[in-house]
Amino acid sequence: MPLMSTPEIAAIRESVRAIAGRHGWSYYQETGRKYEAPTKVLSALASGGFLGVHLPAEYGGGGLGLSELAVVAEEAAAAGCPLNTMIVQAIAGSVLARHGTAEQRAQWLPGLASGEVTFAFAITEPDAGSNAHNITTVARREGDRYVMRGQKTFCSGADRADAILLVARTGTHDRSGNGLLSLFIVDPKAPGLTMQHIPTAPMLSTKSFQLFLDDVEVATDQLVGTRDEGWRPLFDGLNPERIMASATSNGIARFALDAAARYARERSVWSTPIGAHQGIAHPLAEAKVELELARLMTAKAAACFDAGVDAGEAANMAKMASADAAVRCVDQSIQTHGGTGFALATGLTDAYWVARVAQTVPVSREMVLNFVAQHSLGLPRSY
């Protein structure tokens, strides 16, 4: 998501906006209420090469970067189709492209680029939460395989995934007692792996699941990166996750703010458009400023990742700023619409839940502030 638009970026925006706009929020509502994947939009984007725009050309991708993929996510959401599936696909694609073996890249990247392969991502656990060092899901080496036992929670789209990128403990640090983590590609249909649906309020196209692993066997060649050193590939997945969540939030914010501005221009009371009143205009203008600042930080984060420099600070800041901007824009849009804002046809109450969830996942505002306090300001760690 470059700071300045280029002809290539402008073409991507126009094409994605046209594809997603043919379906819009009504289609997203319809599929979301049924927990169905928005396949019409995803298939059209895949056919245009947009889902794999960030993947290496030798595997069928576009050979560009996360900056361009973030543009795809933002424009789809701005047209009324926030595609949360793209967030997980960005994790898997980025991790495998940078850390996968030649065999793993050949096996999975072409399908990710074409949209024919779907991944889920499993890191969160019921008792570990934001502290990944406390992960208790264990992968024990036994000959030419690993045997896994443990639980994961809030694993989105596991029921439709072709593979699960799963974080497990493969050892314990001698001094700190923290878990030594490794990253694995797990077959969701493997014997011993069961799933339980977690009903949630947000209207998303994917269900969330709790996973139970009871002696699930994984071949050693499905280890991604080096054993016990999973943090490096993990962060090459978590930073894209935050960046893509930011881009999606920015798109939702634009969707809501555009609806509010349009309504404020057209709705008249006592022969005056309500947008002429500062009580309506100023809150919308402030929301616009907040949104544009969030988009700039998202662009910086994506540019850092593409350049191969540490994107942690920018990605976390972008995620928090974009989620906050999205919530503010949707809330102000509802307020601008008055009672009409609660009509399901506007899509705003559904959009609120989609925006609000981003303030908590994939990382909460509080953990972002902890990160900034410790790493950006050098303040003492409180946990």
Side-chain angles (χ1 to χ4, degrees):
M1 188 177 288
L3 298 181
M4 301 297 292
S5 184
T6 64
E8 188 172 49
I9 290 295
I12 292 174
R13 288 193 185 280
E14 182 179 356
S15 297
V16 172
R17 189 162 53 245
I19 291 170
R22 285 197 290 269
H23 303 283
W25 191 266
S26 61
Y27 172 70
Y28 185 82
Q29 282 181 310
E30 177 187 349
T31 55
R33 295 193 195 289
K34 299 176 183 177
Y35 286 117
E36 294 177 353
T39 52
K40 292 180 181 178
V41 176
L42 288 169
S43 296
L45 290 174
S47 297
F50 296 111
L51 296 186
V53 69
H54 64 306
L55 297 175
E58 59 265 38
Y59 297 105
L64 299 175
L66 195 68
S67 295
E68 287 75 17
L69 189 68
V71 168
V72 175
E74 181 187 322
E75 289 304 321
C81 293
L83 303 173
N84 294 295
T85 300
M86 288 187 64
I87 299 174
V88 180
Q89 301 303 77
I91 298 172
S94 298
V95 167
L96 291 173
R98 292 192 175 191
H99 301 280
T101 63
E103 292 76 16
Q104 289 168 350
R105 293 196 299 271
Q107 180 180 3
W108 297 110
L109 291 183
L112 283 168
S114 67
E116 296 172 344
V117 166
T118 301
F119 267 75
F121 180 56
I123 182 172
T124 306
E125 295 186 359
D127 296 323
S130 298
N131 186 2
H133 291 294
N134 279 352
I135 282 176
T136 59
T137 296
V138 174
R140 185 179 68 257
R141 177 73 182 263
E142 292 186 3
D144 62 351
R145 62 183 179 169
Y146 285 90
V147 179
M148 294 186 176
R149 294 186 65 88
Q151 295 182 33
K152 296 293 180 181
T153 192
F154 291 110
C155 180
S156 298
D159 58 329
R160 294 201 295 257
D162 297 290
I164 300 173
L165 198 61
L166 187 143
V167 184
R169 176 190 287 253
T170 47
T172 302
H173 195 280
D174 292 336
R175 286 175 294 178
S176 68
N178 289 335
L180 297 173
L181 306 182
S182 299
L183 207 54
F184 297 90
I185 301 171
V186 179
D187 182 355
K189 297 182 177 62
L193 195 160
T194 56
M195 307 178 189
Q196 181 178 332
H197 177 217
I198 305 171
T200 58
M203 187 195 70
L204 302 172
S205 58
T206 53
K207 296 179 182 179
S208 285
F209 289 88
Q210 188 160 358
L211 307 184
F212 302 90
L213 299 100
D214 186 8
D215 290 338
V216 174
E217 297 184 2
V218 180
T220 55
D221 63 3
Q222 296 307 300
L223 171 70
V224 180
T226 304
R227 174 178 168 162
D228 296 342
E229 297 180 9
W231 279 110
R232 184 178 176 188
L234 185 57
F235 277 114
D236 276 339
L238 294 181
N239 285 330
E241 180 185 41
R242 285 151 173 67
I243 293 166
M244 291 298 290
S246 302
T248 302
S249 292
N250 292 337
I252 294 169
R254 286 173 51 198
F255 168 82
L257 199 58
D258 287 348
R262 184 167 56 250
Y263 187 83
R265 290 191 298 267
E266 297 172 355
R267 171 68 168 162
S268 292
V269 178
W270 291 295
S271 302
T272 302
I274 62 173
H277 302 298
Q278 292 179 353
I280 298 293
H282 283 186
L284 292 177
E286 288 180 338
K288 172 66 172 176
V289 171
E290 188 174 339
L291 167 59
E292 293 305 321
L293 292 173
R295 294 180 74 201
L296 283 172
M297 184 54 74
T298 304
K300 177 181 177 179
C304 287
F305 183 83
D306 289 338
V309 300
D310 185 7
E313 180 185 69
N316 277 283
M317 288 182 174
K319 186 269 173 190
M320 176 176 156
S322 298
D324 287 354
V327 168
R328 179 169 185 176
C329 287
V330 177
D331 185 70
Q332 195 58 50
S333 185
I334 292 172
Q335 189 68 14
T336 299
H337 281 79
T340 304
F342 297 94
L344 293 180
T346 66
L348 293 174
T349 52
D350 288 325
Y352 178 83
W353 278 113
V354 180
R356 177 60 183 83
V357 75
Q359 287 187 314
T360 304
V361 296
V363 61
S364 68
R365 294 183 85 258
E366 292 75 15
M367 289 306 297
V368 170
L369 293 173
N370 283 336
F371 180 95
V372 172
Q374 179 185 347
H375 296 282
S376 303
L377 299 176
L379 299 179
R381 183 170 179 160
S382 64
Y383 56 93

